[in-house]
Amino acid sequence: MNLSIYFKKFFNSSQSSGIILIFCVAISLLIANSSLGEGFQNFLHYEIGTHLFHLKYPIHIWINDGLMAIFFLLVGLEIKRELVEGELSSFKNASLPIFAAVGGMLVPATIYTLFNSGTEFSNGWGIPMATDIAFSLALISMLGSKIPNSIKIFLAALAIVDDLGAILVIAIFYTDQIQWIYLLISFGIVAFLFLLNFLKVTRLIFYIIPGLFLWYFLHNSGIHATIAGVLLALSIPTNASNVQISPLEKLEHHLHIPVSFLIMPIFALTNTNIAFHSGMAEGLISTLGLGIIGGLVLGKLIGINLFSFIAIKLRISSLPHNSTWSHMLGVGFLAGIGFTMSIFIALLSFKEQFEIQDEAKFAILIASFLSAILGVIILSLSAKKNKFIDDDSDE
């Protein structure tokens, strides 16, 4: 096979990005538990940038708040395209991920609180609310055309609503201080972006430059800056026509390969370097560990499917096209992959309490691993059982 054709097929394969992502997780864990671990941590905490305009941050901040804003931009573009012309264009389909995400936040937080109310761990109730959008989407993409495209879109929409909810929780309950001036300026930039859309401005550069300022002001406001990517995506013009390529579709096309094969692997490599020690295992049977594992593995599954069932029975929503409840169960488990966002909330919940942080990290890792395995198994079995419904999958 011609080498250029091979690379083209590789980069166009959704499974390839998932394989690279899992490989990066394995490498990260190996580094963290080797003699290279301390040096790698020092590298991630090395500050780059300029003090001018307060733009000098550790490398891990540039990755988590900067590069991941681009990832959220791509996901936001995909969601908006589906809202305008795809699976989420009807109210019944678009409302289901919202109901599912609300259930997927409330039930895990409740389970955690039942275990930890009145204990030293009570402040960590936000930990199991989060879904790691990068890892959950990477795993479902590895299943390729076996899974209806509507289910992949449903998981993406659910995960982004879930993460926006987690960001709001962080902003309200885990942020020490919000800089209201910066936040008000951010609102003004968002209004300007949507004004550009209203005036039918189509050149992407007129959106990208204000988007960079939006990221800067949101980051300095104390709000997690990745939300800037979503807000920018929602302002980019698109259309319901398949004939003319819209600015949104152009940007989505350009971002696909760098996000899938550069940004997400870097994110995985730098955020899963968890060093194991004996005390972490003991934390799994503490109320902290049980609350996290119960919340992510069972809470996500129950909350997403219970709220989805209620919304469908009340005829507010409908199941994603060509999907079954077995698919929904698989998605419920995949949404239990809390990983990086859960770890981030754990660090905020237990500031300077490093032993508790380590126990929480290990519980999140175990819960995410269990959720990933169960989700992939159930979705794989669903694919075998429901081969006849997969005709419209295009991935």
Side-chain angles (χ1 to χ4, degrees):
M1 181 185 290
N2 184 288
L3 196 60
S4 62
I5 296 175
Y6 173 82
F7 278 111
K8 186 176 180 180
K9 289 186 72 174
F10 178 83
F11 286 119
N12 287 331
S13 169
S14 56
Q15 292 95 325
S16 300
S17 61
I19 292 168
I20 291 174
L21 200 62
I22 292 170
F23 176 75
C24 287
V25 171
I27 294 295
S28 183
L29 290 172
L30 285 173
I31 291 174
N33 293 279
S34 71
S35 58
L36 299 173
E38 186 177 350
F40 189 58
Q41 279 293 324
N42 291 336
F43 168 74
L44 292 178
H45 286 86
Y46 181 76
E47 292 191 347
I48 59 174
T50 174
H51 287 297
L52 188 66
F53 304 118
H54 307 290
L55 280 173
K56 190 166 188 176
Y57 300 111
I59 289 172
H60 72 91
I61 295 293
W62 282 113
I63 293 169
N64 292 347
D65 289 14
L67 289 182
M68 285 308 289
I70 301 174
F71 170 76
F72 273 88
L73 170 60
L74 176 60
V75 174
L77 292 172
E78 292 174 346
I79 295 296
K80 181 172 181 179
R81 175 170 50 79
E82 292 298 331
L83 283 168
V84 173
E85 56 180 297
E87 294 290 341
L88 302 178
S89 56
S90 73
F91 175 78
K92 281 194 170 185
N93 288 345
S95 62
L96 189 64
I98 298 174
F99 282 105
V102 170
M105 290 185 282
L106 291 179
V107 176
T110 301
I111 289 175
Y112 181 93
T113 302
L114 289 174
F115 277 104
N116 293 285
S117 179
T119 71
E120 62 178 321
F121 309 126
S122 59
N123 197 43
W125 56 270
I127 295 171
M129 293 177 68
T131 294
D132 192 307
I133 189 169
F135 282 97
S136 59
L137 291 182
L139 282 175
I140 201 169
S141 71
M142 289 179 67
L143 296 169
S145 59
K146 296 177 183 177
I147 304 300
N149 195 49
S150 59
I151 280 292
K152 299 174 188 178
I153 297 299
F154 171 75
L155 177 60
L158 182 158
I160 201 167
V161 173
D162 191 304
D163 272 9
L164 289 174
I167 290 169
L168 288 175
V169 166
I170 291 168
I172 297 169
F173 298 101
Y174 292 105
T175 298
D176 292 330
Q177 187 177 4
I178 293 178
Q179 301 294 329
W180 291 103
I181 295 296
Y182 285 112
L183 192 58
L184 288 172
I185 294 172
S186 300
F187 287 145
I189 295 172
V190 171
F192 175 71
L193 285 167
F194 280 95
L195 177 63
L196 291 177
N197 185 303
F198 178 76
L199 295 174
K200 301 189 185 305
V201 175
T202 58
R203 290 193 63 184
L204 284 170
I205 191 66
F206 292 115
Y207 293 89
I208 300 300
I209 292 176
L212 292 173
F213 282 96
L214 175 61
W215 179 90
Y216 172 82
F217 285 108
L218 270 179
H219 189 271
N220 284 283
S221 73
I223 302 294
H224 205 270
T226 50
I227 198 173
V230 179
L231 294 172
L232 174 60
L234 295 177
S235 71
I236 304 290
T238 189
N239 54 59
S241 168
N242 291 323
V243 178
Q244 185 178 4
I245 298 176
S246 68
L248 182 147
E249 290 164 326
K250 287 179 184 176
L251 185 57
E252 185 182 353
H253 174 74
H254 289 308
L255 288 178
H256 173 71
I257 288 179
V259 166
S260 299
F261 295 95
L262 183 64
I263 291 175
M264 287 171 64
I266 290 174
F267 181 68
L269 194 63
T270 56
N271 281 278
T272 56
N273 56 324
I274 301 170
F276 301 125
H277 56 77
S278 57
M280 294 171 74
E282 296 171 8
L284 294 178
I285 56 174
S286 68
T287 57
L288 173 67
L290 293 173
I292 291 173
I293 295 172
L296 285 173
V297 179
L298 295 178
K300 284 288 184 182
L301 174 71
I302 295 169
I304 287 168
N305 282 277
L306 177 62
F307 276 58
S308 296
F309 180 79
I310 292 171
I312 290 169
K313 283 299 178 183
L314 292 176
R315 300 181 184 276
I316 299 172
S317 308
S318 60
L319 274 175
H321 183 59
N322 276 354
S323 68
T324 66
W325 280 106
S326 58
H327 289 119
M328 296 290 286
L329 290 175
V331 167
F333 276 119
L334 285 187
I337 304 173
F339 230 11
T340 49
M341 185 63 85
S342 290
I343 289 172
F344 181 64
I345 296 176
L347 297 178
L348 295 176
S349 303
F350 308 114
K351 288 180 179 178
E352 307 302 323
Q353 296 173 282
F354 301 113
E355 187 176 337
I356 297 176
Q357 286 180 3
D358 285 345
E359 291 179 6
K361 283 182 183 181
F362 191 54
I364 292 165
L365 186 65
I366 295 298
S368 298
F369 180 76
L370 288 173
S371 295
I373 294 297
L374 291 169
V376 169
I377 289 173
I378 290 176
L379 286 172
S380 297
L381 291 174
S382 300
K384 291 180 180 178
K385 189 185 297 184
N386 301 289
K387 284 183 180 178
F388 64 93
I389 67 169
D390 296 330
D391 297 337
D392 74 335
S393 289
D394 56 11
E395 292 189 42

